Amino acid sequence: MCTGIDREVNSASGDALMHSQVSGQAEGATLVFLHGNGEDKRIFDPQINYLSNDYKIVAIDTRGHGQSARGTEPFTFHTFACDLFAVLDNLRIDKAHLIGFSDGAITALHAALLQPERILSMILLGVNYNTRGLKWRPYVYIRLAYAWLWVASFFAASKRKQREVWGLMVHQPQLTLEEIGRIRVPALVVTGEKDMVRQRQNDEIIQAITGAQRLVIPGVDHFWMFKQPELLNRIIVDFLNGV
């Protein structure tokens, strides 16, 4: 079935070009997909293919990931949120629903603090609002990998890029519950029962965001959506219909 539009777009954000794929229905409500650390927009292909008959889809490569340039702005979630709005401005999209996985969900939180009037709703998959939100075992692994990349980066330029990307998980995010409590955007917070993110962090997020909903997927880990894409499709549709 023809979905109306399907094009690649580069949008300027500061001195960087942000790459996105725009598809689906030109007149449909906009869904923006934000991927996780070290990934690119292709992780959402099953959702994009499923939803493009009813929505306009914007899938963005995060700064320094996929086909988006690194630029010279600070490598922070605040910067990523500004990049998101630069893409929406270029596409002349006033408001959108955000669907973010892991680091992409953290970007969505920052976006909801930065320009809440432009966010129709958020689906946050495997999100933490500070570094204490990760369980100790994966966090220790991340710290060790980051330390190795720090040493290796002195000998290989490719490792410098990896070090910066992994550094996001070591040093960020650093939001507070007071900041989270200022968010007034309809939100669904989803984690796997065996997620690397502490369930307590997600409980605190839904308590802080008025009206936020919570969903725990039984028996699965942080990356459950890659193994059960049809389940995520149903979760997205059910939530958007409720909104």
Side-chain angles (χ1 to χ4, degrees):
M1 179 181 293
C2 179
T3 58
I5 52 175
D6 188 5
R7 60 194 177 101
E8 297 183 9
V9 179
N10 288 317
S11 305
S13 182
D15 61 354
L17 285 179
M18 307 305 301
H19 185 81
S20 60
Q21 186 74 27
V22 183
S23 57
Q25 304 303 317
E27 302 304 319
T30 300
L31 308 185
V32 176
F33 285 91
L34 304 167
H35 64 79
N37 188 284
E39 301 159 349
D40 63 38
K41 61 184 180 296
R42 293 175 296 177
I43 69 165
F44 287 112
D45 281 351
Q47 286 68 53
I48 294 168
N49 293 335
Y50 183 78
L51 296 163
S52 59
N53 288 329
D54 298 306
Y55 297 94
K56 177 186 288 185
I57 308 292
V58 180
I60 303 174
D61 280 342
T62 299
R63 174 183 292 260
H65 294 64
Q67 298 181 62
S68 288
R70 166 62 184 87
T72 58
E73 295 296 321
F75 210 56
T76 67
F77 289 105
H78 177 82
T79 298
F80 298 165
C82 292
D83 292 338
L84 161 64
F85 290 120
V87 172
L88 294 183
D89 289 345
N90 184 48
L91 296 173
R92 298 184 179 179
I93 295 172
D94 292 329
K95 299 183 179 184
H97 301 275
L98 304 185
I99 302 167
F101 169 62
S102 199
D103 277 17
I106 299 171
T107 297
L109 286 176
H110 283 75
L113 287 167
L114 191 61
Q115 295 189 40
E117 71 280 0
R118 301 186 67 178
I119 311 302
L120 295 170
S121 73
M122 303 186 295
I123 298 178
L124 308 172
L125 307 166
V127 67
N128 57 297
Y129 67 85
N130 62 31
T131 56
R132 295 186 299 279
L134 299 181
K135 293 178 180 176
W136 74 268
R137 194 182 299 272
Y139 186 68
V140 168
Y141 170 79
I142 290 167
R143 289 297 301 241
L144 290 174
Y146 179 68
W148 179 84
L149 287 168
W150 183 273
V151 174
S153 66
F154 289 101
F155 305 96
S158 62
K159 301 302 180 187
R160 286 196 289 273
K161 178 180 178 180
Q162 286 182 268
R163 181 190 71 186
E164 187 172 40
V165 170
W166 279 70
L168 284 168
M169 295 185 286
V170 173
H171 304 298
Q172 300 180 53
Q174 292 296 343
L175 292 172
T176 66
L177 279 177
E178 181 182 357
E179 291 172 307
I180 299 295
R182 295 204 296 266
I183 295 174
R184 294 292 184 269
V185 173
L188 173 63
V189 181
V190 185
T191 46
E193 182 183 15
K194 301 177 181 178
D195 211 294
M196 63 188 287
V197 176
R198 298 181 188 276
Q199 299 296 342
R200 179 178 176 181
Q201 280 252 318
N202 287 261
D203 293 337
E204 290 172 343
I205 289 172
I206 66 161
Q207 290 167 9
I209 300 176
T210 302
Q213 302 175 44
R214 178 90 160 90
L215 180 61
V216 179
I217 311 298
V220 300
D221 62 17
H222 189 65
F223 302 99
W224 65 270
M225 56 175 266
F226 301 139
K227 305 164 190 173
Q228 301 184 55
E230 297 85 3
L231 175 57
L232 178 55
N233 292 342
R234 293 197 299 272
I235 290 170
I236 292 171
V237 170
D238 288 347
F239 177 71
L240 293 177
N241 286 341
V243 171

